[in-house]
Amino acid sequence: LRFSSPLLSLISAAGQAADLHHDKATVTKPKGNTAIFSCSGTSTCETYLHLYQKKDGEPYKRILYLTLSGGKPVKEAGYEDFEVEKKQPDTFRWKISKLEEKHSATYICACWVS
């Protein structure tokens, strides 16, 4: 998400280790709205799918991960407002409800491949 008062933009990119894809590169939403994006191509991944966040001037930070079987995500402290659900056998949907300025960042999904 990139903050541009009063709008937020979600910027997402696929991880390089596997052939993962996002449905939209950039999403711009007003504060308080919901942002949704998906990560597909996870059939090439091993056990876990990870979501990373990158803010300007900072390294990527893993904010949550989950098993590819669709188990409950493990969220880092402060990222409880992120939701994930398995939509298809190789697609997961990420959702951020009630967008705030703190969500303004670039996000990527990533996984290990065999």
Side-chain angles (χ1 to χ4, degrees):
L1 299 173
R2 293 276 181 229
F3 180 70
S4 175
S5 186
L7 300 176
L8 295 169
S9 294
L10 173 73
I11 299 173
S12 59
Q16 298 298 325
D19 192 17
L20 301 177
H21 305 279
H22 289 284
D23 57 349
K24 297 176 184 174
T26 303
V27 177
T28 301
K29 299 278 187 174
K31 285 184 180 181
N33 280 17
T34 299
I36 297 173
F37 64 98
S38 66
C39 181
S40 62
T42 60
S43 60
T44 60
C45 299
E46 287 188 6
T47 308
Y48 297 99
L49 183 64
H50 308 267
L51 181 63
Y52 290 85
Q53 178 189 67
K54 182 177 186 327
K55 294 190 174 214
D56 288 339
E58 297 179 12
Y60 279 98
K61 176 182 181 179
R62 185 179 72 180
I63 60 173
L64 64 83
Y65 67 94
L66 72 154
T67 62
L68 291 171
S69 60
K72 186 175 179 180
V74 177
K75 302 175 187 179
E76 299 296 332
Y79 296 94
E80 294 80 11
D81 49 353
F82 285 71
E83 299 174 36
V84 183
E85 68 178 327
K86 190 171 187 174
K87 294 302 286 180
Q88 297 172 5
D90 74 339
T91 302
F92 289 81
R93 185 174 82 168
W94 312 93
K95 179 178 175 182
I96 308 167
S97 299
K98 297 182 181 176
L99 289 169
E100 300 176 30
E101 186 173 351
K102 71 177 184 175
H103 297 121
S104 183
T106 298
Y107 295 88
I108 64 167
C109 60
C111 69
W112 290 99
V113 295
S114 50

